[in-house]
PDB file of all heavy atoms in Angstrom:
ATOM      1  N   ASP A  30    -119.123 -10.400  27.060  1.00  0.00           N
ATOM      2  CA  ASP A  30    -119.200  -8.992  27.476  1.00  0.00           C
ATOM      3  C   ASP A  30    -120.672  -8.717  27.730  1.00  0.00           C
ATOM      4  O   ASP A  30    -121.468  -8.651  26.798  1.00  0.00           O
ATOM      5  CB  ASP A  30    -118.652  -8.086  26.381  1.00  0.00           C
ATOM      6  CG  ASP A  30    -118.667  -6.618  26.761  1.00  0.00           C
ATOM      7  OD1 ASP A  30    -119.308  -6.238  27.762  1.00  0.00           O
ATOM      8  OD2 ASP A  30    -118.048  -5.825  26.040  1.00  0.00           O
ATOM      9  N   ILE A  31    -121.016  -8.610  28.998  1.00  0.00           N
ATOM     10  CA  ILE A  31    -122.414  -8.441  29.386  1.00  0.00           C
ATOM     11  C   ILE A  31    -122.578  -7.028  29.922  1.00  0.00           C
ATOM     12  O   ILE A  31    -121.803  -6.596  30.776  1.00  0.00           O
ATOM     13  CB  ILE A  31    -122.799  -9.469  30.461  1.00  0.00           C
ATOM     14  CG1 ILE A  31    -122.533 -10.880  29.934  1.00  0.00           C
ATOM     15  CG2 ILE A  31    -124.249  -9.301  30.900  1.00  0.00           C
ATOM     16  CD1 ILE A  31    -122.477 -11.938  31.002  1.00  0.00           C
ATOM     17  N   GLY A  32    -123.551  -6.302  29.413  1.00  0.00           N
ATOM     18  CA  GLY A  32    -123.707  -4.921  29.848  1.00  0.00           C
ATOM     19  C   GLY A  32    -125.152  -4.500  29.979  1.00  0.00           C
ATOM     20  O   GLY A  32    -126.058  -5.122  29.434  1.00  0.00           O
ATOM     21  N   ILE A  33    -125.311  -3.426  30.722  1.00  0.00           N
ATOM     22  CA  ILE A  33    -126.609  -2.778  30.841  1.00  0.00           C
ATOM     23  C   ILE A  33    -126.340  -1.278  30.839  1.00  0.00           C
ATOM     24  O   ILE A  33    -125.366  -0.823  31.434  1.00  0.00           O
ATOM     25  CB  ILE A  33    -127.383  -3.228  32.105  1.00  0.00           C
ATOM     26  CG1 ILE A  33    -128.795  -2.659  32.089  1.00  0.00           C
ATOM     27  CG2 ILE A  33    -126.624  -2.874  33.368  1.00  0.00           C
ATOM     28  CD1 ILE A  33    -129.713  -3.295  33.124  1.00  0.00           C
ATOM     29  N   GLY A  34    -127.179  -0.544  30.123  1.00  0.00           N
ATOM     30  CA  GLY A  34    -126.900   0.876  30.012  1.00  0.00           C
ATOM     31  C   GLY A  34    -128.149   1.719  29.888  1.00  0.00           C
ATOM     32  O   GLY A  34    -129.270   1.208  29.828  1.00  0.00           O
ATOM     33  N   TYR A  35    -127.897   3.012  29.847  1.00  0.00           N
ATOM     34  CA  TYR A  35    -128.971   3.980  29.691  1.00  0.00           C
ATOM     35  C   TYR A  35    -128.566   4.982  28.616  1.00  0.00           C
ATOM     36  O   TYR A  35    -127.480   5.572  28.685  1.00  0.00           O
ATOM     37  CB  TYR A  35    -129.243   4.716  31.008  1.00  0.00           C
ATOM     38  CG  TYR A  35    -130.293   5.792  30.876  1.00  0.00           C
ATOM     39  CD1 TYR A  35    -131.641   5.452  30.793  1.00  0.00           C
ATOM     40  CD2 TYR A  35    -129.939   7.133  30.785  1.00  0.00           C
ATOM     41  CE1 TYR A  35    -132.618   6.435  30.637  1.00  0.00           C
ATOM     42  CE2 TYR A  35    -130.902   8.114  30.628  1.00  0.00           C
ATOM     43  CZ  TYR A  35    -132.239   7.757  30.561  1.00  0.00           C
ATOM     44  OH  TYR A  35    -133.196   8.728  30.394  1.00  0.00           O
ATOM     45  N   TYR A  36    -129.422   5.163  27.628  1.00  0.00           N
ATOM     46  CA  TYR A  36    -129.196   6.122  26.559  1.00  0.00           C
ATOM     47  C   TYR A  36    -130.022   7.376  26.854  1.00  0.00           C
ATOM     48  O   TYR A  36    -131.226   7.296  27.071  1.00  0.00           O
ATOM     49  CB  TYR A  36    -129.609   5.524  25.221  1.00  0.00           C
ATOM     50  CG  TYR A  36    -129.597   6.523  24.086  1.00  0.00           C
ATOM     51  CD1 TYR A  36    -128.404   6.988  23.552  1.00  0.00           C
ATOM     52  CD2 TYR A  36    -130.793   7.003  23.555  1.00  0.00           C
ATOM     53  CE1 TYR A  36    -128.396   7.893  22.521  1.00  0.00           C
ATOM     54  CE2 TYR A  36    -130.793   7.911  22.523  1.00  0.00           C
ATOM     55  CZ  TYR A  36    -129.589   8.364  22.007  1.00  0.00           C
ATOM     56  OH  TYR A  36    -129.583   9.270  20.984  1.00  0.00           O
ATOM     57  N   HIS A  37    -129.366   8.532  26.871  1.00  0.00           N
ATOM     58  CA  HIS A  37    -130.051   9.816  27.074  1.00  0.00           C
ATOM     59  C   HIS A  37    -130.242  10.460  25.700  1.00  0.00           C
ATOM     60  O   HIS A  37    -129.275  10.856  25.045  1.00  0.00           O
ATOM     61  CB  HIS A  37    -129.227  10.713  27.999  1.00  0.00           C
ATOM     62  CG  HIS A  37    -129.981  11.917  28.455  1.00  0.00           C
ATOM     63  ND1 HIS A  37    -130.106  13.051  27.683  1.00  0.00           N
ATOM     64  CD2 HIS A  37    -130.659  12.148  29.611  1.00  0.00           C
ATOM     65  CE1 HIS A  37    -130.824  13.940  28.342  1.00  0.00           C
ATOM     66  NE2 HIS A  37    -131.166  13.419  29.513  1.00  0.00           N
ATOM     67  N   TYR A  38    -131.498  10.556  25.280  1.00  0.00           N
ATOM     68  CA  TYR A  38    -131.828  11.012  23.932  1.00  0.00           C
ATOM     69  C   TYR A  38    -131.340  12.438  23.653  1.00  0.00           C
ATOM     70  O   TYR A  38    -130.712  12.700  22.638  1.00  0.00           O
ATOM     71  CB  TYR A  38    -133.342  10.903  23.710  1.00  0.00           C
ATOM     72  CG  TYR A  38    -133.773  11.379  22.352  1.00  0.00           C
ATOM     73  CD1 TYR A  38    -133.581  10.591  21.237  1.00  0.00           C
ATOM     74  CD2 TYR A  38    -134.364  12.628  22.191  1.00  0.00           C
ATOM     75  CE1 TYR A  38    -133.965  11.018  19.971  1.00  0.00           C
ATOM     76  CE2 TYR A  38    -134.756  13.066  20.940  1.00  0.00           C
ATOM     77  CZ  TYR A  38    -134.550  12.265  19.834  1.00  0.00           C
ATOM     78  OH  TYR A  38    -134.924  12.699  18.603  1.00  0.00           O
ATOM     79  N   LYS A  39    -131.639  13.389  24.558  1.00  0.00           N
ATOM     80  CA  LYS A  39    -131.275  14.788  24.306  1.00  0.00           C
ATOM     81  C   LYS A  39    -129.767  14.994  24.257  1.00  0.00           C
ATOM     82  O   LYS A  39    -129.275  15.798  23.465  1.00  0.00           O
ATOM     83  CB  LYS A  39    -131.894  15.710  25.352  1.00  0.00           C
ATOM     84  CG  LYS A  39    -133.386  15.876  25.183  1.00  0.00           C
ATOM     85  CD  LYS A  39    -133.953  16.846  26.194  1.00  0.00           C
ATOM     86  CE  LYS A  39    -135.455  16.967  26.002  1.00  0.00           C
ATOM     87  NZ  LYS A  39    -136.058  17.876  26.963  1.00  0.00           N
ATOM     88  N   LEU A  40    -129.012  14.303  25.093  1.00  0.00           N
ATOM     89  CA  LEU A  40    -127.542  14.421  25.079  1.00  0.00           C
ATOM     90  C   LEU A  40    -126.899  13.559  23.998  1.00  0.00           C
ATOM     91  O   LEU A  40    -125.733  13.738  23.681  1.00  0.00           O
ATOM     92  CB  LEU A  40    -126.963  14.011  26.438  1.00  0.00           C
ATOM     93  CG  LEU A  40    -127.302  14.899  27.624  1.00  0.00           C
ATOM     94  CD1 LEU A  40    -126.732  14.289  28.904  1.00  0.00           C
ATOM     95  CD2 LEU A  40    -126.770  16.308  27.415  1.00  0.00           C
ATOM     96  N   ASP A  41    -127.665  12.617  23.458  1.00  0.00           N
ATOM     97  CA  ASP A  41    -127.157  11.630  22.503  1.00  0.00           C
ATOM     98  C   ASP A  41    -125.910  10.959  23.094  1.00  0.00           C
ATOM     99  O   ASP A  41    -124.835  10.909  22.485  1.00  0.00           O
ATOM    100  CB  ASP A  41    -126.857  12.258  21.146  1.00  0.00           C
ATOM    101  CG  ASP A  41    -126.791  11.225  20.023  1.00  0.00           C
ATOM    102  OD1 ASP A  41    -127.294  10.097  20.212  1.00  0.00           O
ATOM    103  OD2 ASP A  41    -126.212  11.543  18.966  1.00  0.00           O
ATOM    104  N   ALA A  42    -126.069  10.462  24.326  1.00  0.00           N
ATOM    105  CA  ALA A  42    -124.964   9.861  25.072  1.00  0.00           C
ATOM    106  C   ALA A  42    -125.480   8.660  25.865  1.00  0.00           C
ATOM    107  O   ALA A  42    -126.671   8.549  26.137  1.00  0.00           O
ATOM    108  CB  ALA A  42    -124.345  10.883  26.013  1.00  0.00           C
ATOM    109  N   THR A  43    -124.557   7.796  26.224  1.00  0.00           N
ATOM    110  CA  THR A  43    -124.903   6.579  26.950  1.00  0.00           C
ATOM    111  C   THR A  43    -124.000   6.403  28.165  1.00  0.00           C
ATOM    112  O   THR A  43    -122.817   6.726  28.115  1.00  0.00           O
ATOM    113  CB  THR A  43    -124.752   5.347  26.028  1.00  0.00           C
ATOM    114  OG1 THR A  43    -125.719   5.429  24.986  1.00  0.00           O
ATOM    115  CG2 THR A  43    -124.954   4.043  26.768  1.00  0.00           C
ATOM    116  N   VAL A  44    -124.571   5.867  29.229  1.00  0.00           N
ATOM    117  CA  VAL A  44    -123.816   5.383  30.385  1.00  0.00           C
ATOM    118  C   VAL A  44    -124.071   3.884  30.421  1.00  0.00           C
ATOM    119  O   VAL A  44    -125.214   3.438  30.319  1.00  0.00           O
ATOM    120  CB  VAL A  44    -124.287   6.058  31.690  1.00  0.00           C
ATOM    121  CG1 VAL A  44    -123.598   5.425  32.890  1.00  0.00           C
ATOM    122  CG2 VAL A  44    -124.041   7.546  31.649  1.00  0.00           C
ATOM    123  N   ASN A  45    -122.993   3.117  30.534  1.00  0.00           N
ATOM    124  CA  ASN A  45    -123.096   1.663  30.445  1.00  0.00           C
ATOM    125  C   ASN A  45    -122.276   1.008  31.551  1.00  0.00           C
ATOM    126  O   ASN A  45    -121.198   1.483  31.893  1.00  0.00           O
ATOM    127  CB  ASN A  45    -122.569   1.213  29.076  1.00  0.00           C
ATOM    128  CG  ASN A  45    -122.836  -0.243  28.801  1.00  0.00           C
ATOM    129  OD1 ASN A  45    -123.951  -0.714  28.965  1.00  0.00           O
ATOM    130  ND2 ASN A  45    -121.809  -0.959  28.372  1.00  0.00           N
ATOM    131  N   LEU A  46    -122.783  -0.080  32.088  1.00  0.00           N
ATOM    132  CA  LEU A  46    -122.049  -0.905  33.029  1.00  0.00           C
ATOM    133  C   LEU A  46    -121.759  -2.216  32.314  1.00  0.00           C
ATOM    134  O   LEU A  46    -122.680  -2.888  31.844  1.00  0.00           O
ATOM    135  CB  LEU A  46    -122.890  -1.149  34.284  1.00  0.00           C
ATOM    136  CG  LEU A  46    -122.198  -1.692  35.503  1.00  0.00           C
ATOM    137  CD1 LEU A  46    -121.089  -0.756  35.974  1.00  0.00           C
ATOM    138  CD2 LEU A  46    -123.209  -1.885  36.626  1.00  0.00           C
ATOM    139  N   SER A  47    -120.478  -2.560  32.184  1.00  0.00           N
ATOM    140  CA  SER A  47    -120.068  -3.728  31.405  1.00  0.00           C
ATOM    141  C   SER A  47    -119.267  -4.691  32.274  1.00  0.00           C
ATOM    142  O   SER A  47    -118.363  -4.273  33.004  1.00  0.00           O
ATOM    143  CB  SER A  47    -119.210  -3.261  30.228  1.00  0.00           C
ATOM    144  OG  SER A  47    -118.689  -4.361  29.538  1.00  0.00           O
ATOM    145  N   TYR A  48    -119.572  -5.985  32.171  1.00  0.00           N
ATOM    146  CA  TYR A  48    -118.850  -7.009  32.911  1.00  0.00           C
ATOM    147  C   TYR A  48    -118.197  -7.978  31.929  1.00  0.00           C
ATOM    148  O   TYR A  48    -118.856  -8.463  31.005  1.00  0.00           O
ATOM    149  CB  TYR A  48    -119.802  -7.772  33.840  1.00  0.00           C
ATOM    150  CG  TYR A  48    -119.124  -8.913  34.564  1.00  0.00           C
ATOM    151  CD1 TYR A  48    -118.173  -8.657  35.558  1.00  0.00           C
ATOM    152  CD2 TYR A  48    -119.413 -10.221  34.250  1.00  0.00           C
ATOM    153  CE1 TYR A  48    -117.547  -9.697  36.212  1.00  0.00           C
ATOM    154  CE2 TYR A  48    -118.792 -11.274  34.909  1.00  0.00           C
ATOM    155  CZ  TYR A  48    -117.853 -10.998  35.881  1.00  0.00           C
ATOM    156  OH  TYR A  48    -117.217 -12.036  36.526  1.00  0.00           O
ATOM    157  N   ARG A  49    -116.884  -8.209  32.125  1.00  0.00           N
ATOM    158  CA  ARG A  49    -116.141  -9.111  31.263  1.00  0.00           C
ATOM    159  C   ARG A  49    -115.195  -9.957  32.107  1.00  0.00           C
ATOM    160  O   ARG A  49    -114.737  -9.527  33.154  1.00  0.00           O
ATOM    161  CB  ARG A  49    -115.309  -8.321  30.235  1.00  0.00           C
ATOM    162  CG  ARG A  49    -116.208  -7.530  29.325  1.00  0.00           C
ATOM    163  CD  ARG A  49    -115.620  -6.302  28.693  1.00  0.00           C
ATOM    164  NE  ARG A  49    -114.490  -5.634  29.244  1.00  0.00           N
ATOM    165  CZ  ARG A  49    -114.528  -4.692  30.187  1.00  0.00           C
ATOM    166  NH1 ARG A  49    -115.669  -4.358  30.744  1.00  0.00           N
ATOM    167  NH2 ARG A  49    -113.441  -4.085  30.579  1.00  0.00           N
ATOM    168  N   PHE A  50    -114.884 -11.146  31.612  1.00  0.00           N
ATOM    169  CA  PHE A  50    -113.937 -12.009  32.305  1.00  0.00           C
ATOM    170  C   PHE A  50    -113.270 -12.954  31.315  1.00  0.00           C
ATOM    171  O   PHE A  50    -113.863 -13.325  30.305  1.00  0.00           O
ATOM    172  CB  PHE A  50    -114.624 -12.814  33.418  1.00  0.00           C
ATOM    173  CG  PHE A  50    -115.752 -13.680  32.951  1.00  0.00           C
ATOM    174  CD1 PHE A  50    -115.543 -14.992  32.583  1.00  0.00           C
ATOM    175  CD2 PHE A  50    -117.050 -13.172  32.864  1.00  0.00           C
ATOM    176  CE1 PHE A  50    -116.581 -15.794  32.144  1.00  0.00           C
ATOM    177  CE2 PHE A  50    -118.102 -13.954  32.434  1.00  0.00           C
ATOM    178  CZ  PHE A  50    -117.868 -15.273  32.073  1.00  0.00           C
ATOM    179  N   PHE A  51    -112.017 -13.297  31.598  1.00  0.00           N
ATOM    180  CA  PHE A  51    -111.309 -14.282  30.783  1.00  0.00           C
ATOM    181  C   PHE A  51    -110.169 -14.891  31.584  1.00  0.00           C
ATOM    182  O   PHE A  51    -109.776 -14.397  32.634  1.00  0.00           O
ATOM    183  CB  PHE A  51    -110.789 -13.687  29.473  1.00  0.00           C
ATOM    184  CG  PHE A  51    -109.645 -12.722  29.628  1.00  0.00           C
ATOM    185  CD1 PHE A  51    -108.340 -13.161  29.783  1.00  0.00           C
ATOM    186  CD2 PHE A  51    -109.878 -11.357  29.597  1.00  0.00           C
ATOM    187  CE1 PHE A  51    -107.294 -12.270  29.920  1.00  0.00           C
ATOM    188  CE2 PHE A  51    -108.835 -10.454  29.724  1.00  0.00           C
ATOM    189  CZ  PHE A  51    -107.537 -10.920  29.890  1.00  0.00           C
ATOM    190  N   THR A  52    -109.633 -15.981  31.057  1.00  0.00           N
ATOM    191  CA  THR A  52    -108.459 -16.644  31.609  1.00  0.00           C
ATOM    192  C   THR A  52    -107.436 -16.795  30.494  1.00  0.00           C
ATOM    193  O   THR A  52    -107.785 -17.171  29.379  1.00  0.00           O
ATOM    194  CB  THR A  52    -108.823 -18.038  32.169  1.00  0.00           C
ATOM    195  OG1 THR A  52    -109.800 -17.870  33.196  1.00  0.00           O
ATOM    196  CG2 THR A  52    -107.603 -18.749  32.729  1.00  0.00           C
TER     197      THR A  52
END
Side-chain angles (χ1 to χ4, degrees):
D30 182 347
I31 303 163
I33 187 167
Y35 176 76
Y36 172 73
H37 191 278
Y38 179 77
K39 288 183 181 179
L40 294 176
D41 200 18
T43 294
V44 174
N45 189 49
L46 194 60
S47 174
Y48 176 70
R49 297 154 338 273
F50 58 92
F51 70 81
T52 300

